[in-house]
Amino acid sequence: MPGLLRGVARTAVIAGTATSVSNRVSRRQAGRWARQDAEQAQARPAAAAPPPTSVAPEDEMSNKIAQLKDLGDLKSQGVLSESEFEAQKARILNS
């Protein structure tokens, strides 16, 4: 029995040491990767904002008409109530 107990204790010490070392290595690698990511982010130039897209007035109007037709279909199917329909219609027309 004492030999068995000594073997179990030795295994526990080895496993605990291995876990501790593994955790420390993982933390060190995570820190190193975080520093590399921060350095790369600083080195990268800031991305320019995309140019605003201009929509032709005809396309914009046809888009609103299509949205209003879809909205009317949803109302006729009973998906939207009258108040929801009016709110969404106002949002589309004011955009």
Side-chain angles (χ1 to χ4, degrees):
M1 186 73 163
L4 178 63
L5 187 59
R6 188 178 322 153
V8 169
R10 182 176 180 190
T11 301
V13 168
I14 292 170
T17 303
T19 302
S20 176
V21 169
S22 173
N23 288 341
R24 191 174 89 207
V25 168
S26 295
R27 281 192 305 269
R28 192 170 10 157
Q29 283 179 338
R32 185 177 304 141
W33 292 336
R35 281 191 304 276
Q36 286 175 350
D37 289 344
E39 289 170 0
Q40 288 176 356
Q42 289 174 352
R44 256 184 261 140
T53 58
S54 60
V55 177
E58 301 85 30
D59 291 342
E60 187 175 323
M61 184 56 76
S62 64
N63 188 18
K64 285 184 180 183
I65 291 171
Q67 287 178 339
L68 289 171
K69 284 182 181 178
D70 292 341
L71 200 60
D73 290 342
L74 290 173
K75 182 184 173 218
S76 66
Q77 294 171 3
V79 175
L80 293 176
S81 68
E82 183 66 33
S83 62
E84 292 171 329
F85 172 77
E86 290 298 325
Q88 291 299 320
K89 183 174 83 171
R91 183 188 60 81
I92 291 170
L93 292 175
N94 292 329
S95 64

